[in-house]
Amino acid sequence: MFDRRRFLEVLAALGVSHTAPLRAQADRAVRFESYPFTLGVASGYPTPDGFVLWTRLATKPLEPDGGLAPEPVPMRWEVAEDERFAKVIASRAEFPAHDWAHSVHAEVRGLAPDRWYFYRFLAGDAVSPVGRTRTAPPPTAGSPRLRFAIASCQHFEHGYYNAYKQVVADDLDLVVFLGDYIYESSVRQGYVRRHNQIAEPVALADYRIRHALYKTDADLQSAHRMVPWIATWDDHEVDNDYANDRQEEGRTSPHEFLSRRAAAYQAYYEHMPLPAAMRPRGPDMRIHTGLAWGSLASFHVLDGRQYRSHQACSSAAGRASDVDPGSCVDLRDPSRTLLGKRQEAWLDERFASSRSTWNILAQPLLMAQRDNRPGEGQLFWTDGWDGYPDARRRLLESVVARRLSNPVVIGGDVHMHFVADLKLDFDDEKSPVVASEFTGTSISSNAGPWQRNWKTILAENPHLKYLRGDQRGYVRASVSGGRFIADLVGVETVKLPESGARVLARFAVEDGKPGPQRQ
Ligand SMILES: [Fe+2]
């Protein structure tokens, strides 16, 4: 199916120039046994003059090699102003390599700001579905608005991705995905559909198969094809509750776990529309980054897993747990960090230099304190920000010290809609509100254990404004100069492949007034 000599000729020729006849040669140099764009197409990380385009060639996506021979495959992408590609305005040859699962991360530059484009990939005689994406407004533009989805947590076995049908219908500028894109663990019962491999992935081939399975979902493909994404990860892309070099139960050596992390990070990179600069090196992958939307908004995209201190006061089995802060001295060790000292310093710098009206901290967790013990005493879940209280306080103090304009924290992990006031001291009702927070329930993952006692948690934590976890969904955010509006969207069911969706509640943050207000 693949002619190596031919390929080398094409490569050599492309080193000289990128003329149309050579591109045609590249197109002819490969024949696929079946359709190679089974995993769809995606785009991400829009800048004022471009974006990242992604696809992965795989004729048999659920096989470790994707059904392709171990050679690079010549192909190309095209960007057009119209859906029918009458006017192709950018095109380039790519040679996706077997070592990276024949994935493409093409960075397109030189386009006009603040407009939509169409793109597609061509390989042999196969043409991909047509994707739709957009550039960001220019830096000086006070863009009139930005609309995006806050999405997270899509356990394949827990249900269908009906939320993405509504995301596509919403016609948004961005999807911001905040972790648990895949789940490494399978459920024993109560599943709606099944992972094709039940064992937890450990090696690269296992993670590739898990990602490919998720990417075969038509609604997920459609959300990627129609809207550009930015993303960060949480724990399940690697292992539940992992921290830095330590796995969930702390049984494997750091060395062993880092080789698993390297496999997981590589497969994640191979399946997401990430800039080439994020390509991992061994177990290291820098995913934290910034993104600007004119002068209207800046996204500060954070990594809460790779650099964190180990969880405080783990259980006897080595797991993160609920702890009483009075009996866990470790919890208050000021040297403990969730972002890592370098990412903390990077973020503080970004806060200092931001001139954006809205500053959106895109990160994977619930940041607000959540005391899980009714009445006297407190109980905190150590895997979230509550397990890193000094690090949380440092971050919020930096928000205050840098006079960051309109900070809004968005997160996931908890599988419930949370709306919260963020304070320097959550235990002091007089402590001023310094930022606003929204978490986006879950695309499909079951509600967390806190769903059962949501009323108690609301009563116990007066800075929490809203809490609801009986429906899966996302948050639809609409940002203009004067307001940040968050619609908490819930889907009726994820147990069936079709379902309606509705807005459960609407909150707004006014320019200059931290704290979400119910509308
Ligand atoms: Fe999750």
Side-chain angles (χ1 to χ4, degrees):
M1 111 185 187
F2 181 81
D3 182 337
R4 187 176 187 85
R5 193 176 55 87
R6 179 65 158 189
F7 170 69
L8 291 173
E9 282 171 16
V10 173
L11 252 192
L14 280 168
V16 183
S17 77
H18 291 247
T19 59
L22 290 174
R23 283 208 306 273
Q25 282 184 26
D27 293 346
R28 276 200 305 270
V30 62
R31 290 278 175 274
F32 297 101
E33 285 165 18
S34 58
Y35 190 61
F37 295 106
T38 52
L39 300 174
V41 299
S43 72
Y45 296 83
T47 62
D49 80 331
F51 34 70
V52 176
L53 298 181
W54 173 91
T55 193
R56 181 192 157 203
L57 297 170
T59 52
K60 296 174 183 155
L62 301 184
E63 291 188 4
D65 60 2
L68 296 192
E71 280 99 10
V73 179
M75 64 181 301
R76 69 190 158 98
W77 51 261
E78 293 180 340
V79 171
E81 289 178 353
D82 63 300
E83 204 167 353
R84 309 183 70 177
F85 288 80
K87 193 176 169 204
V88 173
I89 55 163
S91 176
R92 196 171 70 210
E94 301 281 342
F95 299 91
H98 171 72
D99 292 355
W100 295 91
H102 295 106
S103 61
V104 180
H105 300 79
E107 294 192 28
V108 185
R109 293 282 167 255
L111 303 179
D114 206 10
R115 61 154 297 166
W116 288 91
Y117 289 94
F118 298 91
Y119 64 94
R120 66 183 178 186
F121 297 88
L122 303 98
D125 52 9
V127 182
S128 77
V130 172
R132 173 180 171 272
T133 190
R134 61 161 301 157
T135 51
T140 49
S143 180
R145 66 170 201 176
L146 158 68
R147 295 174 74 239
F148 63 98
I150 301 165
S152 66
C153 297
Q154 49 189 26
H155 202 305
F156 186 85
E157 297 188 314
H158 286 172
Y160 294 100
Y161 301 156
N162 292 324
Y164 287 131
K165 290 184 181 56
Q166 186 60 43
V167 165
V168 169
D170 287 344
D171 192 20
L172 307 172
D173 298 301
L174 273 178
V175 171
V176 182
F177 194 89
L178 299 177
D180 293 355
Y181 189 90
I182 60 159
Y183 279 71
E184 88 293 9
S185 47
S186 302
V187 295
R188 294 217 174 96
Q189 55 197 18
Y191 46 83
V192 173
R193 49 184 178 170
R194 210 71 174 118
H195 284 153
N196 58 328
Q197 293 187 341
I198 302 306
E200 282 194 16
V202 175
L204 178 56
D206 310 330
Y207 281 107
R208 281 176 174 162
I209 290 168
R210 185 58 51 88
H211 272 279
L213 175 68
Y214 279 56
K215 274 282 194 315
T216 56
D217 182 278
D219 291 317
L220 180 58
Q221 281 198 13
S222 143
H224 274 299
R225 188 165 57 78
M226 298 300 284
V227 193
W229 285 43
I230 58 177
T232 187
W233 50 36
D234 193 24
D235 52 344
H236 288 287
E237 284 86 351
V238 183
D239 181 40
N240 181 42
D241 290 351
Y242 85 92
N244 196 321
D245 60 357
R246 190 173 192 271
Q247 79 151 28
E248 179 179 11
E249 292 171 356
R251 278 195 303 250
T252 43
S253 70
H255 178 75
E256 246 178 293
F257 180 69
L258 286 177
S259 85
R260 182 179 181 187
R261 192 177 96 176
Y265 284 5
Q266 179 169 342
Y268 180 83
Y269 173 78
E270 289 168 350
H271 291 83
M272 295 295 278
L274 303 176
M278 288 185 184
R279 188 155 99 166
R281 289 188 186 81
D284 304 317
M285 180 168 156
R286 181 175 164 156
I287 196 171
H288 61 281
T289 190
L291 190 109
W293 205 261
S295 63
L296 178 69
S298 274
F299 287 93
H300 312 279
V301 186
L302 309 181
D303 177 347
R305 285 287 158 190
Q306 190 173 182
Y307 315 109
R308 65 157 73 188
S309 308
H310 298 163
Q311 288 91 350
C313 306
S314 297
S315 71
R319 290 169 182 266
S321 55
D322 271 329
V323 302
D324 174 349
S327 63
C328 177
V329 180
D330 211 15
L331 206 62
R332 282 289 177 189
D333 174 351
S335 71
R336 296 181 68 256
T337 169
L338 189 111
L339 300 175
K341 290 290 149 110
R342 281 168 69 180
Q343 190 181 186
E344 280 187 21
W346 166 86
L347 185 61
D348 182 58
E349 263 309 301
R350 284 186 59 85
F351 288 173
S353 59
S354 173
R355 298 287 169 269
S356 302
T357 306
W358 296 92
N359 283 278
I360 302 162
L361 279 75
Q363 53 84 49
L365 305 165
L366 173 72
M367 191 173 282
Q369 179 172 295
R370 184 189 56 209
D371 172 13
N372 293 319
R373 173 172 287 162
E376 280 293 289
Q378 292 178 310
L379 203 61
F380 294 133
W381 171 242
T382 56
D383 187 61
W385 279 101
D386 279 339
Y388 301 81
D390 284 43
R392 172 172 59 199
R393 192 181 170 107
R394 277 198 299 278
L395 187 153
L396 292 173
E397 280 172 349
S398 158
V399 162
V400 173
R402 302 303 193 179
R403 299 171 191 275
L404 190 67
S405 174
N406 294 319
V408 178
V409 175
I410 59 174
D413 181 46
V414 285
H415 302 186
M416 301 172 76
H417 285 302
F418 273 86
V419 177
D421 289 338
L422 294 177
K423 306 166 110 183
L424 293 180
D425 184 353
F426 292 98
D427 295 326
D428 177 1
E429 292 213 24
K430 293 197 199 72
S431 181
V433 179
V434 298
S436 313
E437 177 170 34
F438 300 96
T439 64
T441 186
S442 59
I443 293 293
S444 62
S445 305
N446 289 345
W450 302 286
Q451 163 61 16
R452 281 189 299 276
N453 29 7
W454 65 274
K455 279 185 184 154
T456 320
I457 293 176
L458 265 185
E460 196 66 26
N461 297 276
H463 50 276
L464 299 181
K465 299 279 189 72
Y466 184 92
L467 175 56
R468 183 164 174 174
D470 60 327
Q471 284 189 303
R472 318 279 52 85
Y474 62 98
V475 173
R476 181 174 59 219
S478 309
V479 191
S480 63
R483 296 177 105 195
F484 183 114
I485 295 171
D487 287 334
L488 316 185
V489 180
V491 295
E492 281 153 26
T493 182
V494 295
K495 310 257 183 242
L496 299 168
E498 297 291 335
S499 162
R502 67 192 178 94
V503 176
L504 305 173
R506 168 174 281 192
F507 281 81
V509 182
E510 304 290 334
D511 178 22
K513 264 182 74 182
Q517 305 297 330
R518 181 89 186 244
Q519 301 299 294

